[in-house]
Amino acid sequence: MQKTSARLLALLSLLQTRRDWSGDDLAGRLGITPRTVRRDIDRLRELGYPVRATKGPSGGYRLDAGAHLPPLLFDDGQAVALALALRSAATDETIGEDAARALVAVRQVMPSRLRRRIDTLRVTAVRPRGAGSASPVGTQILAELGRVIHAREELRFDYGDDAAGVAGVAGVAGVAGAAGAVGAVGAAGVSRAAGAVGRPRRVQPHHLVTWRGRWYLVAWDLDRDDWRTFRADRIRPRTPTGPRFTPRELPGEDVAAFVAGRFRGTDGSTTDWPCRGEVVLGLPAEDVAPFARDGIVEELGPDRCRLTLGSWSWTGLATTIGHFDADIQIIGPPELTGAFAELAARYAAAAAGRIQVSPGSTPAP
């Protein structure tokens, strides 16, 4: 028979693998009597493990969640996976400090053979382009957002702005003039930040998601009667929360498709770009493919290829295609031809030292 300490660890490992165990099953797996199982269960409870007895012909046991986190048992693979996850999370601005402290605690109790495997790994965080101005999100805010989503409670919050000044999905059409700078990357898929002063936002929170290094809250805006995507680092929750609500069905296939569609300038019901065109470029296909993002590149010859690409505006699409610095033959549609004509007139005016004024705009003084 195993020593008591080894037997307790084996028993704990079994209790962690599934929700319910009968006393006879545990006794058979451990090679002990049901009476010994009952005594070992009592020892685990004395150590702080919340093991609950369940009714049944032979009795049963379940490891419940407790008020305090007791020691946990991991095999070698689980311990290494946990340490790798913590090392990766330690590079995150939101939970990096907590993850680093947890990694130190896990590493201290690891056997030397596992510590050597972990210490050989070095993780370098590569921040997404344009993410330098984002403020870190406090873990308390993320926890509160997660709580109200799970509880299905309406949320009131102040939505502050920062130096990034990102435009909202609802205002995509109004910022179409900036499409040349955005190109195929798409418009910013977040609700416009109106500063921390004024009427708080009232929403029904549905999902907490990450996108390109930032946290976002996907919610139904009660005042605007539409879906909105809010940057979590700009949210300042108010208390108390509102009444419970019945979740709505998101447009699109799932939350991932909805968020991808919103960041591409659509209503979220599709992940397709709202503007898609086709051109022939005077470049080999292998030179275009690495920079075509989610576009389709078809080889037409040693020095020609067909490119089908999308963007959130025709001007942005034309600008992105121009980045390839090659001869361009427009296949269609006519909207893309018009965007190239508008850009050509704008660039020609700039080269001649003139100011090209777009319809409806006012020239700078």
Side-chain angles (χ1 to χ4, degrees):
M1 182 181 292
Q2 292 177 310
K3 292 182 179 180
T4 302
S5 58
R7 198 172 63 242
L8 288 177
L9 291 176
L11 174 58
L12 178 60
S13 179
L14 290 175
L15 290 172
Q16 290 178 166
T17 58
R18 72 188 197 198
R19 184 169 178 81
D20 293 299
W21 284 90
S22 69
D24 290 342
D25 286 342
L26 289 174
R29 292 291 294 269
L30 297 172
I32 58 178
T33 65
R35 182 179 178 181
T36 303
V37 169
R38 289 193 295 271
R39 288 202 305 264
D40 288 348
I41 290 292
D42 289 337
R43 292 188 178 99
L44 287 178
R45 289 168 177 162
E46 292 173 358
L47 293 173
Y49 293 93
V51 183
R52 181 160 63 91
T54 59
K55 296 180 180 180
S58 58
Y61 300 98
R62 174 185 302 170
L63 182 62
D64 283 345
H68 302 285
L69 183 65
L72 300 177
L73 180 66
F74 298 104
D75 59 31
D76 286 4
Q78 291 173 325
V80 172
L82 176 62
L84 294 180
L86 289 173
R87 189 177 288 278
S88 299
T91 64
D92 185 88
E93 288 190 355
T94 301
I95 60 174
E97 184 178 349
D98 292 334
R101 291 191 296 108
L103 178 60
V104 170
V106 170
R107 185 186 179 281
Q108 285 178 344
V109 298
M110 275 186 167
S112 58
R113 68 181 187 281
L114 297 183
R115 283 202 302 268
R116 285 193 294 270
R117 292 176 61 183
I118 297 303
D119 291 344
T120 57
L121 178 68
R122 293 291 180 267
V123 177
T124 301
V126 179
R127 293 179 57 78
R129 181 178 301 176
S133 59
S135 303
V137 186
T139 55
Q140 291 184 349
I141 290 182
L142 292 181
E144 174 63 12
L145 294 179
R147 186 195 68 79
V148 294
I149 290 172
H150 179 74
R152 298 177 179 177
E153 295 176 353
E154 292 182 4
L155 178 66
R156 298 182 308 129
F157 59 87
D158 296 313
Y159 196 50
D161 204 348
D162 65 10
V166 184
V169 171
V172 165
V175 296
V182 177
V185 177
V190 294
S191 184
R192 182 180 299 275
V197 179
R199 184 178 180 182
R201 308 297 287 264
R202 297 188 313 115
V203 303
Q204 294 175 344
H206 280 67
H207 298 279
L208 188 62
V209 301
T210 59
W211 175 273
R212 296 184 177 178
R214 286 177 176 161
W215 289 89
Y216 294 91
L217 174 68
V218 177
W220 178 263
D221 194 311
L222 294 169
D223 295 323
R224 290 155 180 80
D225 199 31
D226 193 11
W227 290 102
R228 290 292 188 271
T229 307
F230 300 93
R231 273 179 46 177
D233 60 307
R234 294 175 172 174
I235 292 176
R236 298 296 177 265
R238 290 194 177 191
T239 56
T241 54
R244 295 180 180 272
F245 64 91
T246 301
R248 302 169 184 264
E249 184 176 350
L250 272 173
E253 300 175 359
D254 51 31
V255 63
F258 171 80
V259 172
R262 297 290 273 199
F263 274 85
R264 290 183 171 184
T266 72
D267 62 359
S269 60
T270 176
T271 58
D272 293 335
W273 290 105
C275 302
R276 181 171 291 272
E278 184 178 344
V279 299
V280 173
L281 297 177
L283 285 174
E286 59 266 23
D287 291 348
V288 175
F291 307 100
R293 300 183 184 274
D294 58 351
I296 300 173
V297 182
E298 178 186 356
E299 183 178 1
L300 299 179
D303 297 316
R304 297 172 67 245
C305 69
R306 187 193 316 271
L307 173 64
T308 303
L309 194 63
S311 183
W312 63 284
S313 76
W314 294 110
T315 306
L317 180 57
T319 302
T320 301
I321 294 173
H323 290 166
F324 287 99
D325 193 19
D327 292 337
I328 302 171
Q329 176 188 352
I330 303 174
I331 305 300
E335 291 86 349
L336 180 58
T337 302
F340 271 107
E342 181 180 347
L343 286 176
R346 187 179 301 166
Y347 291 159
R354 304 191 307 272
I355 298 178
Q356 177 73 16
V357 181
S358 300
S361 64
T362 302

